[in-house]
Amino acid sequence: MYKQLGVIGCGLMGGSFALAMKKAGLVKRVIGYSKSPSTTETAKRLGVIDVAAESALLAVAGSDIVLVAVPVSATEATLKAIRDLITPQMLVMDVGSTKCDVTDAARAALGDRLSSFVPAHPIAGKESGGVQHAEAALYQGRQVILTPLPETSPLAVQKATDVWSKLGAQVLKMTPKNHDAAFAAVSHLPHLLAFAYFQSVATQASGRDFLSLAGPGFRDFTRIAASDPAVWRDILMANKAEVLVQAQRFRQTLDALEALIKADDAAALEARIRLISEARAQWQMGAPRLLK
């Protein structure tokens, strides 16, 4: 059991981690800090945290495990703010959706204290953010990707693995580069497409009428277009090189399908759709299959 968890960023992800740690009996006390005092106050009122800290540094004071749950663009500044109180025995993790920029930020901010930092990405979340939506079960049955650096202490990696496993998550390890390439394909580009697609429908002259006729398929396809704009601005910009690679691949695939439609080649179009449909039907989360 950990003596004290310091949460920096008491929103959905940080709040859910705090609740999960409490429910699992892994921590005695939770101290939290958020840039917005009202967020910290709400977190305390809801029982997500026990004590409100006045700064990120004070959230780390006395903690033996720290979760940095801030936008990825704020990672370096946050780590710099807490650096002086990070000890070799402490476990420090983040929950950012991109990892190359986070690990670069950690190197720049932490210096010789980098050994305590284990970059982490829980594959979990909701369309609605905020501590009011935090729940202890958010990470159960979900994957958590760790991207430790050569400088990361093996003990810290083991601690991180144990913590997430005890919260019901499946822990995987990847390099930061491989992580960002993979999630550009399966998370970041889908969000970009959902934003673009919804706008393309909604801004047409008859867009309001079209939307009134939309059913479950449209709802499911565009669900993630309601995601936090600031969060996704940061993610898309932080991982722009990999996102643009995947966007180009998507554009080529869409062009190929459009070409079959323009050519009135119904047989080839059906064959291509069948290949895609069968691959999708065989795919399961956690056991991906490649379309050839």
Side-chain angles (χ1 to χ4, degrees):
M1 174 182 284
Y2 288 92
K3 178 180 65 175
Q4 180 175 292
L5 164 64
V7 177
I8 302 171
C10 301
L12 173 65
M13 303 298 282
S16 294
F17 186 80
L19 290 174
M21 289 287 285
K22 286 185 171 187
K23 184 176 181 180
L26 295 178
V27 68
K28 292 182 179 179
R29 187 171 83 144
V30 178
I31 181 168
Y33 167 76
S34 285
K35 188 175 180 180
S36 168
S38 63
T39 297
T40 315
E41 291 169 7
T42 301
K44 187 176 179 182
R45 177 173 54 80
L46 295 175
V48 173
I49 63 174
D50 303 309
V51 180
E54 294 182 0
S55 68
L57 186 63
L58 290 176
V60 175
S63 296
D64 45 356
I65 178 171
V66 173
L67 189 77
V68 176
V70 300
V72 289
S73 62
T75 301
E76 184 173 348
T78 302
L79 293 177
K80 282 182 178 178
I82 67 174
R83 178 188 183 279
D84 289 344
L85 290 185
I86 294 177
T87 67
Q89 296 76 32
M90 188 182 293
L91 170 61
V92 182
M93 299 184 291
D94 78 310
V95 293
S97 296
T98 53
K99 291 272 84 76
C100 284
D101 61 322
V102 164
T103 53
D104 288 346
R107 280 200 170 100
L110 298 181
D112 59 1
R113 316 232 173 170
L114 190 59
S115 63
S116 297
F117 182 63
V118 181
H121 177 200
I123 315 305
K126 298 180 178 180
E127 302 88 69
S128 301
V131 68
Q132 65 272 24
H133 298 290
E135 60 177 80
L138 186 68
Y139 303 115
Q140 288 182 4
R142 301 301 184 94
Q143 292 182 332
V144 173
I145 313 298
L146 304 182
T147 63
L149 298 167
E151 299 93 334
T152 306
S153 160
L155 179 58
V157 176
Q158 188 58 56
K159 286 181 179 179
T161 301
D162 291 344
V163 164
W164 287 111
S165 297
K166 289 175 181 177
L167 298 187
Q170 178 189 2
V171 180
L172 304 175
K173 297 180 182 68
M174 302 175 69
T175 66
K177 181 173 178 55
N178 287 345
H179 169 280
D180 286 1
F183 283 93
V186 301
S187 176
H188 306 165
L189 178 64
H191 277 79
L192 182 63
L193 296 180
F195 295 139
Y197 172 58
F198 188 87
Q199 183 187 39
S200 73
V201 174
T203 57
Q204 294 181 44
S206 300
R208 186 182 296 272
D209 293 333
F210 293 167
L211 291 175
S212 72
L213 300 172
F218 182 86
R219 177 201 61 202
D220 295 344
F221 189 86
T222 61
R223 175 183 61 82
I224 55 177
S227 298
D228 188 302
V231 168
W232 280 96
R233 172 203 65 204
D234 286 352
I235 290 171
L236 293 170
M237 293 305 296
N239 201 24
K240 63 181 179 181
E242 296 292 351
V243 170
L244 292 174
V245 167
Q246 293 300 325
Q248 183 60 34
R249 290 182 62 87
F250 172 79
R251 190 170 286 109
Q252 291 169 353
T253 303
L254 182 61
D255 287 346
L257 290 169
E258 287 181 356
L260 295 176
I261 296 172
K262 291 175 181 177
D264 290 324
D265 195 339
L269 179 63
E270 180 183 353
R272 186 60 182 168
I273 292 174
R274 178 174 288 108
L275 178 66
I276 298 167
S277 176
E278 290 174 350
R280 176 59 182 83
Q282 294 169 12
W283 172 80
Q284 294 180 349
M285 283 205 325
R289 305 178 71 93
L290 297 178
L291 177 65
K292 296 180 180 180

